[in-house]
Short mmCIF file of all heavy atoms in Angstrom, two decimals:
data_model
loop_
_atom_site.label_atom_id
_atom_site.label_comp_id
_atom_site.label_asym_id
_atom_site.label_seq_id
_atom_site.Cartn_x
_atom_site.Cartn_y
_atom_site.Cartn_z
N ASP V 853 11.14 -63.15 44.64
CA ASP V 853 11.53 -61.93 45.40
C ASP V 853 11.77 -60.69 44.56
O ASP V 853 12.22 -59.70 45.03
CB ASP V 853 12.75 -62.20 46.29
CG ASP V 853 13.99 -62.57 45.42
OD1 ASP V 853 13.86 -62.66 44.16
OD2 ASP V 853 15.04 -62.88 46.01
N LYS V 854 11.48 -60.75 43.28
CA LYS V 854 11.61 -59.60 42.39
C LYS V 854 10.31 -58.91 42.31
O LYS V 854 9.32 -59.42 41.74
CB LYS V 854 12.13 -60.01 41.01
CG LYS V 854 13.51 -60.67 41.03
CD LYS V 854 14.61 -59.73 41.42
CE LYS V 854 15.98 -60.35 41.33
NZ LYS V 854 17.06 -59.40 41.75
N TYR V 855 10.20 -57.69 42.82
CA TYR V 855 8.94 -56.94 42.78
C TYR V 855 8.67 -56.34 41.43
O TYR V 855 7.52 -56.36 41.00
CB TYR V 855 8.96 -55.76 43.82
CG TYR V 855 9.31 -56.17 45.24
CD1 TYR V 855 9.76 -55.16 46.10
CD2 TYR V 855 9.15 -57.48 45.73
CE1 TYR V 855 10.05 -55.44 47.43
CE2 TYR V 855 9.45 -57.74 47.05
CZ TYR V 855 9.89 -56.74 47.89
OH TYR V 855 10.23 -57.03 49.21
N VAL V 856 9.70 -55.85 40.81
CA VAL V 856 9.54 -54.94 39.65
C VAL V 856 10.11 -55.54 38.38
O VAL V 856 11.24 -56.13 38.41
CB VAL V 856 10.23 -53.60 39.89
CG1 VAL V 856 9.83 -52.55 38.83
CG2 VAL V 856 9.89 -53.05 41.26
N LEU V 857 9.44 -55.33 37.26
CA LEU V 857 9.95 -55.73 35.94
C LEU V 857 10.20 -54.50 35.13
O LEU V 857 9.35 -53.62 34.98
CB LEU V 857 8.93 -56.63 35.20
CG LEU V 857 9.29 -57.11 33.77
CD1 LEU V 857 10.53 -57.98 33.86
CD2 LEU V 857 8.12 -57.88 33.23
N SER V 858 11.44 -54.36 34.61
CA SER V 858 11.81 -53.20 33.75
C SER V 858 12.52 -53.71 32.54
O SER V 858 13.72 -54.08 32.60
CB SER V 858 12.69 -52.24 34.52
OG SER V 858 13.13 -51.15 33.74
N ILE V 874 17.77 -47.00 37.69
CA ILE V 874 17.10 -48.00 38.51
C ILE V 874 18.12 -48.97 39.03
O ILE V 874 18.00 -49.53 40.16
CB ILE V 874 15.91 -48.64 37.79
CG1 ILE V 874 15.00 -49.32 38.80
CG2 ILE V 874 16.42 -49.68 36.77
CD1 ILE V 874 13.67 -49.76 38.23
N SER V 877 19.67 -47.65 42.07
CA SER V 877 18.69 -47.22 43.12
C SER V 877 18.91 -48.07 44.39
O SER V 877 19.63 -49.12 44.36
CB SER V 877 17.25 -47.41 42.64
OG SER V 877 16.95 -48.75 42.51
N PHE V 879 16.83 -49.94 45.74
CA PHE V 879 15.98 -51.13 45.65
C PHE V 879 16.27 -52.01 44.44
O PHE V 879 15.49 -52.80 44.01
CB PHE V 879 14.50 -50.76 45.73
CG PHE V 879 14.09 -49.77 44.71
CD1 PHE V 879 13.71 -50.11 43.44
CD2 PHE V 879 14.07 -48.40 45.06
CE1 PHE V 879 13.34 -49.15 42.53
CE2 PHE V 879 13.69 -47.45 44.18
CZ PHE V 879 13.30 -47.82 42.87
N ALA V 880 17.45 -51.77 43.83
CA ALA V 880 17.83 -52.49 42.60
C ALA V 880 17.72 -53.97 42.73
O ALA V 880 17.42 -54.74 41.78
CB ALA V 880 19.21 -52.08 42.14
N GLU V 881 17.96 -54.53 43.91
CA GLU V 881 17.93 -55.95 44.17
C GLU V 881 16.56 -56.55 43.95
O GLU V 881 16.43 -57.76 43.74
CB GLU V 881 18.44 -56.30 45.58
CG GLU V 881 17.50 -55.70 46.65
CD GLU V 881 18.01 -56.05 48.07
OE1 GLU V 881 18.29 -57.24 48.34
OE2 GLU V 881 18.06 -55.13 48.87
N HIS V 882 15.52 -55.72 43.98
CA HIS V 882 14.16 -56.20 43.80
C HIS V 882 13.63 -56.01 42.36
O HIS V 882 12.46 -56.11 42.14
CB HIS V 882 13.27 -55.45 44.78
CG HIS V 882 13.50 -55.77 46.22
ND1 HIS V 882 13.42 -57.04 46.78
CD2 HIS V 882 13.94 -54.95 47.23
CE1 HIS V 882 13.71 -57.00 48.04
NE2 HIS V 882 14.01 -55.78 48.37
N VAL V 883 14.52 -55.68 41.46
CA VAL V 883 14.12 -55.36 40.09
C VAL V 883 14.74 -56.36 39.06
O VAL V 883 15.92 -56.63 39.09
CB VAL V 883 14.53 -53.94 39.66
CG1 VAL V 883 13.93 -53.60 38.31
CG2 VAL V 883 14.08 -52.92 40.78
N ASN V 884 13.88 -56.85 38.23
CA ASN V 884 14.38 -57.66 37.04
C ASN V 884 14.58 -56.62 35.91
O ASN V 884 13.61 -56.14 35.35
CB ASN V 884 13.35 -58.70 36.64
CG ASN V 884 13.69 -60.06 37.24
OD1 ASN V 884 14.78 -60.26 37.79
ND2 ASN V 884 12.77 -61.01 37.17
N ILE V 885 15.83 -56.39 35.55
CA ILE V 885 16.17 -55.40 34.54
C ILE V 885 16.70 -56.12 33.31
O ILE V 885 17.55 -56.98 33.41
CB ILE V 885 17.23 -54.42 35.01
CG1 ILE V 885 16.80 -53.72 36.33
CG2 ILE V 885 17.52 -53.36 33.95
CD1 ILE V 885 17.93 -52.89 37.00
N VAL V 921 17.18 -60.87 31.35
CA VAL V 921 16.10 -61.59 32.07
C VAL V 921 15.22 -62.38 31.12
O VAL V 921 14.43 -63.21 31.59
CB VAL V 921 15.23 -60.63 32.93
CG1 VAL V 921 16.05 -59.92 33.99
CG2 VAL V 921 14.57 -59.64 32.05
N ILE V 946 7.45 -51.41 35.33
CA ILE V 946 7.72 -50.11 34.74
C ILE V 946 7.76 -50.34 33.25
O ILE V 946 8.71 -51.02 32.75
CB ILE V 946 9.01 -49.51 35.23
CG1 ILE V 946 8.99 -49.36 36.77
CG2 ILE V 946 9.31 -48.15 34.55
CD1 ILE V 946 10.35 -48.95 37.31
N VAL V 1021 7.97 -45.75 42.91
CA VAL V 1021 8.34 -47.12 42.99
C VAL V 1021 8.95 -47.43 44.37
O VAL V 1021 8.65 -48.45 44.96
CB VAL V 1021 9.34 -47.52 41.86
CG1 VAL V 1021 9.87 -48.93 42.07
CG2 VAL V 1021 8.64 -47.39 40.49
N VAL V 1025 7.93 -50.28 47.03
CA VAL V 1025 8.96 -51.28 47.49
C VAL V 1025 8.94 -51.27 49.00
O VAL V 1025 9.04 -52.39 49.63
CB VAL V 1025 10.32 -50.98 46.86
CG1 VAL V 1025 11.38 -51.81 47.56
CG2 VAL V 1025 10.32 -51.31 45.35
#
Side-chain angles (χ1 to χ4, degrees):
D853 60 359
K854 297 293 185 181
Y855 305 159
V856 190
L857 179 61
S858 177
I874 200 169
S877 69
F879 51 86
E881 63 181 311
H882 294 299
V883 187
N884 265 347
I885 305 173
V921 298
I946 300 171
V1021 171
V1025 167

